[in-house]
Amino acid sequence: MIDKTVGVGDDLPQIEAAFLGTPLAGLPLGHGPSGTILVADVDPDRLHEVWRAAEALVPVIGRRPVMVTDDFDDALTIRSEPEQGPSESELRAFVDVAASSDPWLTYRHYSEDQQVDEDEIEFYARGTTGVDLTALMPDVALPTSLPVLERALYDRLLADADLHAQVLGNVRLVTQTEYWYTPDSVLLMLLPTSDVRGSAYWVDFYGALTEEDRQRLAEVLAQWRHRWDARLVASWDTMLQFQVGRRPTPGDEAWAAAGQLKALAPDLELSQWEVAVALPAGDAWFIHNRP
């Protein structure tokens, strides 16, 4: 039996027809790398609107959308002929390995093993917000690990409504689309699969450079979709941006989600307790992992 290749075929007329009456209508489209379809000339100021329109069409066209940019990759251009992607069996094997992986054994923030001494506590209790929370920490036994210190700080912050409101006012933006990076040139990439795990096969992200890492990322995408209805909107080389349908509640949920965000995004310049404060107040997640 001959194994079929994913994404090879001329379904452009079907996609153009599906675009009618949406913000995607009239945009130039053609074949992209590895069985994908590229839609060009997306207005950067409307990228979220365009992505939502494409996401709503997944049941119709069978392709999951992700925003990409050619700002960093000149080879990301529309092709006149389709390019071969993985075979169905190759993609199925990729998904099976991803589903059996535990990504959080690999994705760990470097600060998890860090110890905090008494002379460092003020630094960590201010975070990036500048709100002084050292008064919440007089009885914490030091030295201690940074995760233990931050969890104690977060729990006590939740019990102080005034301080919590001050911190939230300074970190709320990081879970709103206004915080997102917007490149100069935006394209919509339609992946030749509707499967959430399978979509990671095509995601170009610095935090997942090898196939094994992309499989771990695939499981993250699946877990976040199941738990938080988190949908990948954009992949900009060192950054990922998600739309989130179910916000974590303050406490254990927000703390666990914040830890996973920090693990995947070591260059997100917020403490875990700050991320945990921000997550219940917004619907946009930002991942940053750079060299």
Side-chain angles (χ1 to χ4, degrees), residues 120-134 137 146 149-150 153 157 167 170-171 262 268-275 277:
E120 299 174 303
I121 191 169
E122 183 176 350
F123 171 79
Y124 291 108
R126 287 181 180 273
T128 61
T129 66
V131 180
D132 188 358
L133 305 180
T134 52
M137 312 300 293
L146 183 57
L149 175 69
E150 289 206 55
L153 185 60
L157 184 61
V167 172
N170 288 341
V171 301
K262 289 284 292 180
L268 183 61
E269 296 180 353
L270 289 175
S271 302
Q272 184 173 346
W273 60 267
E274 292 173 305
V275 179
V277 169

Side-chain angles (χ1 to χ4, degrees), residues 107 203-211 213-215 217 289:
Y107 287 122
V203 173
D204 183 16
F205 173 52
Y206 178 75
L209 296 178
T210 67
E211 180 174 353
D213 285 340
R214 288 200 307 275
Q215 288 164 340
L217 177 62
N289 187 332

Side-chain angles (χ1 to χ4, degrees), residues 172-237:
R172 182 191 299 271
L173 184 62
V174 302
T175 53
Q176 297 175 342
T177 56
E178 290 87 346
Y179 186 75
W180 280 1
Y181 173 78
T182 304
D184 294 329
S185 176
V186 177
L187 300 94
L188 173 68
M189 179 179 282
L190 298 173
L191 311 177
T193 183
S194 60
D195 181 73
V196 173
R197 282 191 181 91
S199 65
Y201 183 94
W202 289 269
V203 173
D204 183 16
F205 173 52
Y206 178 75
L209 296 178
T210 67
E211 180 174 353
E212 188 176 11
D213 285 340
R214 288 200 307 275
Q215 288 164 340
R216 295 188 183 103
L217 177 62
E219 181 57 17
V220 172
L221 298 183
Q223 288 184 16
W224 284 3
R225 176 65 174 272
H226 175 73
R227 187 69 184 88
W228 312 115
D229 190 25
R231 302 168 186 245
L232 181 62
V233 174
S235 176
W236 316 125
D237 188 40

